[in-house]
Amino acid sequence: MRRAICSGSFDPVTCGHIDIFERASSMFDELIVCVFNNVTKTPFLPVEERTALIREAVQHLPNVKVDAFSGLVSRYMEQHDAHVIVRGIRSVKDLEYEQNEAYMLRHLDSRIDTVFLLTRPEYSFVSSSGVRELVRFGSSIEGLVPECVAKAIGRHHGEKM
């Protein structure tokens, strides 16, 4: 079975992320989307809710599973017998960062390969941090996140929307 991992904080998950999940799911027998809690950041949405929202947003993809984890992604990959990690790339800046991450993963486990998928142009400006900023200033996030995510953000941060 060709199993791949797509990990990130997804805080919140965006339409760009969903596009990457959809495209990656067609390349592998199973895609596991792993939500992790970035301890260096204050969460916008709780990990459990992010996980549930991604499950809802990818329910049309039968070979996509969603999980949460903490720790090294290389250990998670070993536990789940996965040797490919999928990363979405919006820009050269993303590529530079992700390239270093890929080298580190390869250092930790020489069996791990990284597949980079270029973001579609219509999502190249969309980021979780950009969505969070729009919410903080009360701007619309329509078309940037799945509808279920927009509703959840409204429940959590409605006074700012």
Side-chain angles (χ1 to χ4, degrees), residues 41-57:
K41 296 180 181 177
T42 302
F44 189 67
L45 295 172
V47 171
E48 301 78 19
E49 187 162 10
R50 283 182 260 159
T51 303
L53 290 168
I54 294 170
R55 278 192 190 109
E56 185 175 344

Side-chain angles (χ1 to χ4, degrees), residues 18-37:
I18 301 300
D19 177 63
I20 295 295
F21 304 157
E22 289 171 345
R23 292 164 49 211
S25 74
S26 72
M27 300 169 69
F28 299 96
D29 299 318
E30 181 179 70
L31 177 69
I32 303 174
V33 176
C34 294
V35 181
F36 74 93
N37 188 20

Side-chain angles (χ1 to χ4, degrees), residues 68-143:
F69 78 103
S70 60
L72 293 174
V73 71
S74 59
R75 288 198 185 124
Y76 183 92
M77 292 176 74
E78 182 179 356
Q79 292 168 356
H80 290 84
D81 193 31
H83 303 288
V84 175
I85 190 162
V86 176
R87 306 303 291 167
I89 302 292
R90 292 172 300 171
S91 66
V92 172
K93 183 179 175 183
D94 283 354
L95 180 60
E96 287 176 354
Y97 174 82
E98 294 297 347
Q99 181 179 10
N100 287 334
E101 293 293 308
Y103 290 151
M104 182 59 78
L105 280 173
R106 192 103 164 124
H107 170 77
L108 294 171
D109 186 338
S110 63
R111 299 170 298 166
I112 296 176
D113 277 313
T114 302
V115 171
F116 298 115
L117 292 178
L118 295 176
T119 302
R120 294 188 192 278
E122 59 265 31
Y123 300 123
S124 63
F125 67 95
V126 180
S127 67
S128 295
S129 59
V131 168
R132 291 191 305 267
E133 185 172 351
L134 289 174
V135 170
R136 283 187 188 103
F137 287 100
S139 291
S140 173
I141 56 172
E142 185 178 342

